[in-house]
Amino acid sequence: MSTKAFKSDKIAQIKEKVEKAQVAIVTEYKGMSVEEITGLRRELQKEGGDYMVTKNTLAKLAVKGTNYEILTDSFTGPIAIAFGYGDQVTPAKALAKFIKETKKGEILGAALDGKLLSANEAKALANLPTKAEIYAKMLGCINSPASGIANSINAVMSQLTRTMAAVRDTKTA
């Protein structure tokens, strides 16, 4: 049986994670071994997130008064919460990959920017590009016109050089 101090400490840990999280994804961990949960937690930590198995009542108390209070209806059965601190998409991608590979667990819902996402919307979040991918695409779009102009100028100069070389060759012959 847990003591009151232990429970309040656990609530404080969850609240701390909730306050700095960009996204929270509620999952069911039924059927997962401790090693699998630890592996998933390590994977999420590499990506700037975390994964925490918790009791429903403690999670409900911890999210009370935050943007993630809308998740309380998802806190049924054996749950764990994945938090994303830097990127909102990366935790969803890691969870979706883990579930696909192991066929264990399930995404129950998520909260993003104060909005509740259904299980299907949370799964669709995994298909979105990450911030790094978006930045790379934006830089490519920004760089594309400049590259086109440079290539056009280079093509004109190359053509002029080839024409002058051809004229020189015909005059010397």
Side-chain angles (χ1 to χ4, degrees):
M1 182 148 181
S2 298
T3 65
K4 191 171 186 168
F6 175 78
K7 287 180 182 179
S8 58
D9 184 47
K10 192 71 168 172
I11 291 169
Q13 287 176 1
I14 298 168
K15 197 167 197 86
E16 178 186 330
K17 291 177 188 297
V18 164
E19 287 172 352
K20 53 182 198 174
Q22 298 284 324
V23 65
I25 304 169
V26 180
T27 64
E28 181 182 77
Y29 67 90
K30 196 174 187 180
M32 291 186 205
S33 67
V34 174
E35 292 83 21
E36 290 171 327
I37 291 172
T38 303
L40 178 57
R41 182 178 295 122
R42 298 288 179 253
E43 187 65 34
L44 283 166
Q45 287 172 343
K46 279 190 237 172
E47 302 293 336
D50 203 359
Y51 192 69
M52 178 181 242
V53 175
T54 184
K55 291 185 175 218
N56 298 335
T57 53
L58 298 180
K60 286 177 184 176
L61 289 171
V63 299
K64 194 170 192 165
T66 68
N67 287 341
Y68 299 103
E69 190 171 6
I70 55 179
L71 287 173
T72 54
D73 291 339
S74 302
F75 298 158
T76 57
I79 63 148
I81 306 171
F83 298 101
Y85 302 121
D87 187 7
Q88 296 93 344
V89 177
T90 306
K93 283 185 180 291
L95 284 170
K97 179 182 173 193
F98 176 83
I99 291 169
K100 185 178 178 183
E101 289 174 356
T102 63
K103 307 280 192 257
K104 294 179 183 176
E106 182 181 345
I107 295 176
L108 302 175
L112 175 67
D113 294 330
K115 293 185 176 67
L116 181 66
L117 302 178
S118 68
N120 289 333
E121 291 170 330
K123 291 173 190 171
L125 188 63
N127 297 327
L128 294 175
T130 63
K131 277 185 182 179
E133 293 169 344
I134 291 172
Y135 290 153
K137 287 179 183 180
M138 283 178 34
L139 287 174
C141 290
I142 291 169
N143 194 22
S144 180
S147 297
I149 291 169
N151 290 337
S152 297
I153 292 171
N154 191 24
V156 170
M157 296 305 289
S158 296
Q159 183 65 34
L160 178 63
T161 304
R162 284 192 295 271
T163 304
M164 289 174 55
V167 169
R168 182 195 65 210
D169 291 344
T170 56
K171 289 199 176 202
T172 57

